[in-house]
Tab-separated table of all heavy atoms in Angstrom:
chain	number	residue	atom	x	y	z
A	895	VAL	N	-5.204	28.834	-26.031
A	895	VAL	CA	-5.747	27.905	-26.995
A	895	VAL	C	-4.678	27.070	-27.646
A	895	VAL	O	-3.605	27.538	-28.044
A	895	VAL	CB	-6.514	28.587	-28.134
A	895	VAL	CG1	-6.957	27.745	-29.305
A	895	VAL	CG2	-7.766	29.375	-27.470
A	896	ARG	N	-4.899	25.671	-27.607
A	896	ARG	CA	-3.870	24.715	-28.186
A	896	ARG	C	-4.514	23.712	-29.078
A	896	ARG	O	-5.807	23.491	-28.954
A	896	ARG	CB	-3.164	24.060	-27.045
A	896	ARG	CG	-2.330	24.946	-26.131
A	896	ARG	CD	-1.064	25.564	-26.787
A	896	ARG	NE	-0.423	26.397	-25.921
A	896	ARG	CZ	-0.511	27.714	-25.807
A	896	ARG	NH1	-1.522	28.317	-26.445
A	896	ARG	NH2	0.328	28.391	-24.956
A	897	ASP	N	-3.760	23.109	-29.840
A	897	ASP	CA	-4.192	21.942	-30.734
A	897	ASP	C	-3.961	20.622	-29.976
A	897	ASP	O	-2.820	20.179	-29.940
A	897	ASP	CB	-3.387	22.078	-32.039
A	897	ASP	CG	-3.854	21.147	-33.104
A	897	ASP	OD1	-4.555	20.112	-32.810
A	897	ASP	OD2	-3.700	21.429	-34.331
A	898	TYR	N	-5.007	20.026	-29.492
A	898	TYR	CA	-4.883	18.794	-28.767
A	898	TYR	C	-5.151	17.606	-29.577
A	898	TYR	O	-6.166	17.563	-30.390
A	898	TYR	CB	-5.803	18.771	-27.516
A	898	TYR	CG	-5.463	19.825	-26.518
A	898	TYR	CD1	-6.178	21.034	-26.470
A	898	TYR	CD2	-4.427	19.615	-25.584
A	898	TYR	CE1	-5.800	21.960	-25.519
A	898	TYR	CE2	-4.182	20.611	-24.581
A	898	TYR	CZ	-4.785	21.750	-24.554
A	898	TYR	OH	-4.400	22.771	-23.766
A	899	LEU	N	-4.317	16.558	-29.573
A	899	LEU	CA	-4.343	15.466	-30.466
A	899	LEU	C	-4.345	14.173	-29.664
A	899	LEU	O	-3.464	14.009	-28.743
A	899	LEU	CB	-3.034	15.529	-31.377
A	899	LEU	CG	-2.703	14.354	-32.266
A	899	LEU	CD1	-3.729	14.176	-33.342
A	899	LEU	CD2	-1.345	14.457	-32.771
A	900	HIS	N	-5.243	13.297	-30.003
A	900	HIS	CA	-5.272	12.004	-29.345
A	900	HIS	C	-4.053	11.124	-29.450
A	900	HIS	O	-3.522	11.090	-30.706
A	900	HIS	CB	-6.525	11.157	-29.781
A	900	HIS	CG	-6.900	10.127	-28.815
A	900	HIS	ND1	-6.116	9.044	-28.535
A	900	HIS	CD2	-8.012	9.909	-28.068
A	900	HIS	CE1	-6.709	8.239	-27.672
A	900	HIS	NE2	-7.908	8.762	-27.403
A	901	VAL	N	-3.440	10.616	-28.479
A	901	VAL	CA	-2.204	9.971	-28.569
A	901	VAL	C	-2.295	8.708	-29.445
A	901	VAL	O	-1.282	8.291	-30.075
A	901	VAL	CB	-1.718	9.561	-27.132
A	901	VAL	CG1	-2.555	8.467	-26.460
A	901	VAL	CG2	-0.269	9.000	-27.148
A	902	VAL	N	-3.392	8.043	-29.569
A	902	VAL	CA	-3.570	6.975	-30.491
A	902	VAL	C	-3.549	7.430	-31.885
A	902	VAL	O	-2.911	6.757	-32.804
A	902	VAL	CB	-4.904	6.191	-30.265
A	902	VAL	CG1	-5.129	5.159	-31.293
A	902	VAL	CG2	-4.771	5.429	-28.836
A	903	ASP	N	-4.099	8.561	-32.219
A	903	ASP	CA	-3.991	9.159	-33.592
A	903	ASP	C	-2.529	9.474	-33.860
A	903	ASP	O	-2.051	9.167	-34.950
A	903	ASP	CB	-4.799	10.464	-33.734
A	903	ASP	CG	-6.283	10.221	-34.085
A	903	ASP	OD1	-6.614	9.077	-34.589
A	903	ASP	OD2	-7.067	11.072	-33.728
A	904	LEU	N	-1.841	10.022	-32.813
A	904	LEU	CA	-0.402	10.273	-33.019
A	904	LEU	C	0.371	9.023	-33.314
A	904	LEU	O	1.191	9.015	-34.145
A	904	LEU	CB	0.113	11.000	-31.791
A	904	LEU	CG	1.620	11.423	-31.761
A	904	LEU	CD1	1.951	12.334	-32.944
A	904	LEU	CD2	1.899	12.146	-30.436
A	905	ALA	N	0.083	8.024	-32.506
A	905	ALA	CA	0.866	6.711	-32.785
A	905	ALA	C	0.602	6.203	-34.161
A	905	ALA	O	1.516	5.702	-34.817
A	905	ALA	CB	0.392	5.742	-31.699
A	906	LYS	N	-0.584	6.338	-34.677
A	906	LYS	CA	-0.933	5.829	-35.992
A	906	LYS	C	-0.188	6.757	-36.971
A	906	LYS	O	0.172	6.223	-38.083
A	906	LYS	CB	-2.413	5.959	-36.284
A	906	LYS	CG	-3.236	4.839	-35.464
A	906	LYS	CD	-4.711	4.966	-35.689
A	906	LYS	CE	-5.440	3.819	-34.969
A	906	LYS	NZ	-6.901	3.881	-35.100
A	907	GLY	N	0.078	7.978	-36.758
A	907	GLY	CA	0.896	8.823	-37.502
A	907	GLY	C	2.266	8.270	-37.682
A	907	GLY	O	2.945	8.415	-38.700
A	908	HIS	N	2.787	7.672	-36.721
A	908	HIS	CA	4.209	7.086	-36.675
A	908	HIS	C	4.206	5.818	-37.616
A	908	HIS	O	5.190	5.623	-38.348
A	908	HIS	CB	4.694	6.776	-35.343
A	908	HIS	CG	5.019	7.978	-34.560
A	908	HIS	ND1	4.171	8.758	-33.940
A	908	HIS	CD2	6.202	8.554	-34.278
A	908	HIS	CE1	4.723	9.788	-33.325
A	908	HIS	NE2	5.977	9.709	-33.512
A	909	VAL	N	3.163	5.059	-37.570
A	909	VAL	CA	3.089	3.896	-38.396
A	909	VAL	C	2.989	4.401	-39.826
A	909	VAL	O	3.656	3.851	-40.763
A	909	VAL	CB	1.837	3.024	-38.070
A	909	VAL	CG1	1.728	1.881	-39.042
A	909	VAL	CG2	1.949	2.441	-36.711
A	910	ALA	N	2.231	5.466	-40.123
A	910	ALA	CA	2.189	5.975	-41.479
A	910	ALA	C	3.504	6.498	-41.902
A	910	ALA	O	3.921	6.398	-43.148
A	910	ALA	CB	1.147	7.098	-41.510
A	911	ALA	N	4.289	7.081	-40.992
A	911	ALA	CA	5.554	7.570	-41.336
A	911	ALA	C	6.568	6.571	-41.626
A	911	ALA	O	7.351	6.656	-42.610
A	911	ALA	CB	6.108	8.399	-40.200
A	912	VAL	N	6.496	5.292	-40.970
A	912	VAL	CA	7.361	4.176	-41.295
A	912	VAL	C	7.016	3.766	-42.683
A	912	VAL	O	7.945	3.460	-43.463
A	912	VAL	CB	7.147	3.128	-40.225
A	912	VAL	CG1	7.806	1.842	-40.710
A	912	VAL	CG2	7.654	3.525	-38.902
A	913	LYS	N	5.725	3.648	-42.973
A	913	LYS	CA	5.359	3.193	-44.312
A	913	LYS	C	5.874	4.112	-45.403
A	913	LYS	O	6.318	3.719	-46.461
A	913	LYS	CB	3.881	3.033	-44.372
A	913	LYS	CG	3.373	1.939	-43.559
A	913	LYS	CD	1.793	1.793	-43.589
A	913	LYS	CE	1.271	0.635	-42.665
A	913	LYS	NZ	-0.200	0.679	-42.656
A	914	ARG	N	5.867	5.472	-45.119
A	914	ARG	CA	6.374	6.439	-46.137
A	914	ARG	C	7.881	6.330	-46.254
A	914	ARG	O	8.344	6.483	-47.357
A	914	ARG	CB	5.917	7.852	-45.689
A	914	ARG	CG	6.370	8.903	-46.595
A	914	ARG	CD	5.917	8.774	-48.059
A	914	ARG	NE	6.529	9.698	-48.904
A	914	ARG	CZ	7.696	9.512	-49.578
A	914	ARG	NH1	8.430	8.485	-49.248
A	914	ARG	NH2	8.104	10.491	-50.375
A	915	ALA	N	8.527	6.142	-45.088
A	915	ALA	CA	9.990	6.045	-45.121
A	915	ALA	C	10.498	4.935	-46.009
A	915	ALA	O	11.578	5.000	-46.613
A	915	ALA	CB	10.495	6.000	-43.719
A	916	VAL	N	9.718	3.875	-46.066
A	916	VAL	CA	10.165	2.686	-46.889
A	916	VAL	C	9.962	2.959	-48.324
A	916	VAL	O	10.645	2.376	-49.139
A	916	VAL	CB	9.208	1.443	-46.418
A	916	VAL	CG1	9.485	0.296	-47.344
A	916	VAL	CG2	9.588	1.081	-45.018
A	917	GLN	N	9.032	3.834	-48.739
A	917	GLN	CA	8.695	3.893	-50.171
A	917	GLN	C	9.794	4.510	-50.976
A	917	GLN	O	10.108	4.008	-52.037
A	917	GLN	CB	7.465	4.968	-50.360
A	917	GLN	CG	6.227	4.328	-49.798
A	917	GLN	CD	5.033	5.251	-49.814
A	917	GLN	OE1	5.156	6.314	-50.418
A	917	GLN	NE2	3.950	4.883	-49.197
A	918	SER	N	10.465	5.634	-50.500
A	918	SER	CA	11.542	6.253	-51.244
A	918	SER	C	12.265	7.288	-50.385
A	918	SER	O	11.623	7.761	-49.361
A	918	SER	CB	11.018	6.980	-52.500
A	918	SER	OG	10.101	8.012	-52.078
A	919	PRO	N	13.545	7.640	-50.584
A	919	PRO	CA	14.193	8.541	-49.775
A	919	PRO	C	13.515	9.858	-49.652
A	919	PRO	O	12.952	10.466	-50.761
A	919	PRO	CB	15.503	8.629	-50.386
A	919	PRO	CG	15.734	7.411	-51.195
A	919	PRO	CD	14.374	7.018	-51.683
A	920	CYS	N	13.503	10.537	-48.554
A	920	CYS	CA	12.917	11.834	-48.353
A	920	CYS	C	13.363	12.424	-47.030
A	920	CYS	O	13.779	11.656	-46.165
A	920	CYS	CB	11.427	11.827	-48.479
A	920	CYS	SG	10.658	10.846	-47.125
A	921	VAL	N	13.407	13.730	-46.939
A	921	VAL	CA	13.623	14.388	-45.706
A	921	VAL	C	12.517	15.441	-45.510
A	921	VAL	O	12.542	16.463	-46.253
A	921	VAL	CB	15.017	15.078	-45.658
A	921	VAL	CG1	15.234	15.766	-44.298
A	921	VAL	CG2	16.153	13.963	-45.858
A	922	GLU	N	11.608	15.167	-44.652
A	922	GLU	CA	10.403	16.044	-44.561
A	922	GLU	C	9.947	16.324	-43.159
A	922	GLU	O	9.982	15.393	-42.333
A	922	GLU	CB	9.175	15.461	-45.330
A	922	GLU	CG	9.347	15.359	-46.840
A	922	GLU	CD	9.394	16.670	-47.545
A	922	GLU	OE1	8.806	17.665	-47.005
A	922	GLU	OE2	9.988	16.705	-48.579
A	923	ALA	N	9.716	17.577	-42.829
A	923	ALA	CA	9.045	17.932	-41.590
A	923	ALA	C	7.489	17.914	-41.756
A	923	ALA	O	6.990	18.418	-42.806
A	923	ALA	CB	9.455	19.338	-41.102
A	924	ILE	N	6.859	17.369	-40.846
A	924	ILE	CA	5.358	17.164	-40.957
A	924	ILE	C	4.667	17.437	-39.655
A	924	ILE	O	5.016	16.831	-38.654
A	924	ILE	CB	5.037	15.751	-41.494
A	924	ILE	CG1	5.650	15.414	-42.868
A	924	ILE	CG2	3.542	15.560	-41.632
A	924	ILE	CD1	5.430	14.073	-43.384
A	925	ASN	N	3.697	18.378	-39.710
A	925	ASN	CA	2.928	18.675	-38.488
A	925	ASN	C	2.004	17.491	-38.238
A	925	ASN	O	1.281	16.960	-39.116
A	925	ASN	CB	2.084	19.878	-38.742
A	925	ASN	CG	2.916	21.150	-38.635
A	925	ASN	OD1	3.955	21.198	-38.064
A	925	ASN	ND2	2.319	22.300	-39.215
A	926	LEU	N	1.785	17.108	-37.019
A	926	LEU	CA	0.803	16.188	-36.591
A	926	LEU	C	-0.094	16.891	-35.546
A	926	LEU	O	0.307	17.112	-34.411
A	926	LEU	CB	1.374	14.967	-35.998
A	926	LEU	CG	2.092	14.011	-36.909
A	926	LEU	CD1	2.609	12.759	-36.239
A	926	LEU	CD2	1.405	13.656	-38.186
A	927	GLY	N	-1.234	17.254	-35.967
A	927	GLY	CA	-2.257	17.964	-35.156
A	927	GLY	C	-3.616	17.861	-35.753
A	927	GLY	O	-3.817	17.217	-36.859
A	928	THR	N	-4.654	18.416	-35.095
A	928	THR	CA	-6.007	18.293	-35.694
A	928	THR	C	-6.300	19.517	-36.591
A	928	THR	O	-7.273	19.427	-37.349
A	928	THR	CB	-6.958	18.279	-34.519
A	928	THR	OG1	-6.929	19.545	-33.788
A	928	THR	CG2	-6.625	17.128	-33.538
A	929	GLY	N	-5.651	20.626	-36.306
A	929	GLY	CA	-5.908	21.772	-37.072
A	929	GLY	C	-7.021	22.624	-36.372
A	929	GLY	O	-7.570	23.592	-36.970
A	930	GLU	N	-7.417	22.270	-35.193
A	930	GLU	CA	-8.364	23.020	-34.373
A	930	GLU	C	-7.826	23.357	-33.029
A	930	GLU	O	-7.151	22.588	-32.349
A	930	GLU	CB	-9.684	22.117	-34.289
A	930	GLU	CG	-10.328	21.824	-35.623
A	930	GLU	CD	-11.521	21.000	-35.331
A	930	GLU	OE1	-11.964	20.673	-34.188
A	930	GLU	OE2	-12.205	20.530	-36.333
A	931	GLY	N	-8.253	24.558	-32.580
A	931	GLY	CA	-7.791	25.003	-31.228
A	931	GLY	C	-8.812	24.795	-30.174
A	931	GLY	O	-10.008	24.950	-30.466
A	932	VAL	N	-8.381	24.477	-28.964
A	932	VAL	CA	-9.324	24.213	-27.877
A	932	VAL	C	-8.724	25.070	-26.687
A	932	VAL	O	-7.566	24.970	-26.370
A	932	VAL	CB	-9.407	22.815	-27.418
A	932	VAL	CG1	-10.272	22.618	-26.187
A	932	VAL	CG2	-9.998	21.952	-28.569
A	933	SER	N	-9.573	25.842	-26.020
A	933	SER	CA	-9.093	26.712	-24.837
A	933	SER	C	-8.993	25.824	-23.604
A	933	SER	O	-9.609	24.765	-23.551
A	933	SER	CB	-9.922	27.912	-24.628
A	933	SER	OG	-11.116	27.497	-23.971
A	934	VAL	N	-8.347	26.344	-22.605
A	934	VAL	CA	-8.192	25.662	-21.311
A	934	VAL	C	-9.632	25.503	-20.667
A	934	VAL	O	-9.942	24.365	-20.247
A	934	VAL	CB	-7.306	26.449	-20.346
A	934	VAL	CG1	-7.376	25.838	-18.888
A	934	VAL	CG2	-5.900	26.562	-20.795
A	935	LEU	N	-10.486	26.517	-20.711
A	935	LEU	CA	-11.793	26.381	-20.161
A	935	LEU	C	-12.639	25.451	-20.982
A	935	LEU	O	-13.511	24.737	-20.477
A	935	LEU	CB	-12.449	27.814	-20.058
A	935	LEU	CG	-11.809	28.760	-19.055
A	935	LEU	CD1	-12.629	30.050	-19.037
A	935	LEU	CD2	-11.701	28.122	-17.651
A	936	GLN	N	-12.439	25.432	-22.256
A	936	GLN	CA	-13.272	24.512	-23.126
A	936	GLN	C	-12.813	23.052	-22.722
A	936	GLN	O	-13.652	22.126	-22.638
A	936	GLN	CB	-12.982	24.744	-24.634
A	936	GLN	CG	-13.717	25.947	-25.179
A	936	GLN	CD	-13.330	26.284	-26.566
A	936	GLN	OE1	-12.231	26.071	-26.940
A	936	GLN	NE2	-14.245	26.822	-27.272
A	937	MET	N	-11.529	22.791	-22.466
A	937	MET	CA	-11.144	21.472	-22.097
A	937	MET	C	-11.670	21.093	-20.737
A	937	MET	O	-12.136	19.907	-20.559
A	937	MET	CB	-9.568	21.485	-22.058
A	937	MET	CG	-8.979	20.152	-21.724
A	937	MET	SD	-9.354	18.859	-22.982
A	937	MET	CE	-8.078	19.226	-24.237
A	938	ILE	N	-11.710	21.969	-19.855
A	938	ILE	CA	-12.243	21.677	-18.514
A	938	ILE	C	-13.784	21.317	-18.600
A	938	ILE	O	-14.200	20.311	-18.069
A	938	ILE	CB	-12.101	22.921	-17.572
A	938	ILE	CG1	-10.690	23.149	-17.234
A	938	ILE	CG2	-12.924	22.673	-16.258
A	938	ILE	CD1	-10.429	24.456	-16.452
A	939	GLU	N	-14.504	22.100	-19.403
A	939	GLU	CA	-15.908	21.742	-19.557
A	939	GLU	C	-16.127	20.431	-20.305
A	939	GLU	O	-17.052	19.672	-19.936
A	939	GLU	CB	-16.598	22.975	-20.350
A	939	GLU	CG	-16.734	24.222	-19.562
A	939	GLU	CD	-17.483	24.012	-18.216
A	939	GLU	OE1	-18.513	23.402	-18.270
A	939	GLU	OE2	-16.977	24.396	-17.195
A	940	ALA	N	-15.341	20.163	-21.256
A	940	ALA	CA	-15.500	18.899	-22.048
A	940	ALA	C	-15.168	17.657	-21.082
A	940	ALA	O	-15.923	16.636	-21.109
A	940	ALA	CB	-14.504	18.840	-23.202
A	941	PHE	N	-14.181	17.844	-20.196
A	941	PHE	CA	-13.827	16.719	-19.256
A	941	PHE	C	-14.920	16.582	-18.263
A	941	PHE	O	-15.313	15.424	-17.921
A	941	PHE	CB	-12.524	17.018	-18.598
A	941	PHE	CG	-11.887	15.805	-17.979
A	941	PHE	CD1	-11.004	14.924	-18.704
A	941	PHE	CD2	-12.225	15.373	-16.706
A	941	PHE	CE1	-10.499	13.869	-18.181
A	941	PHE	CE2	-11.660	14.268	-16.105
A	941	PHE	CZ	-10.746	13.465	-16.877
């Protein structure tokens, strides 16, 4: 089971990170995921 994230959502996360970086100095680790797990067989069935 893994947390699968659409690449366009991920790309938008980078734009949001650029906007945050401009606001004020910070050093932060941030997870980018959906918070939901999908199994291999579930992914096969969805596809």
Side-chain angles (χ1 to χ4, degrees):
V895 171
R896 297 292 183 269
D897 188 336
Y898 294 98
L899 171 69
H900 198 296
V901 67
V902 172
D903 279 335
L904 179 57
K906 290 179 178 178
H908 288 77
V909 176
V912 170
K913 292 177 179 177
R914 177 61 186 84
V916 170
Q917 291 175 10
S918 60
C920 63
V921 180
E922 293 292 336
I924 299 176
N925 287 339
L926 294 184
T928 65
E930 298 180 3
V932 175
S933 76
V934 174
L935 293 183
Q936 287 173 328
M937 181 65 78
I938 293 171
E939 290 305 311
F941 199 91

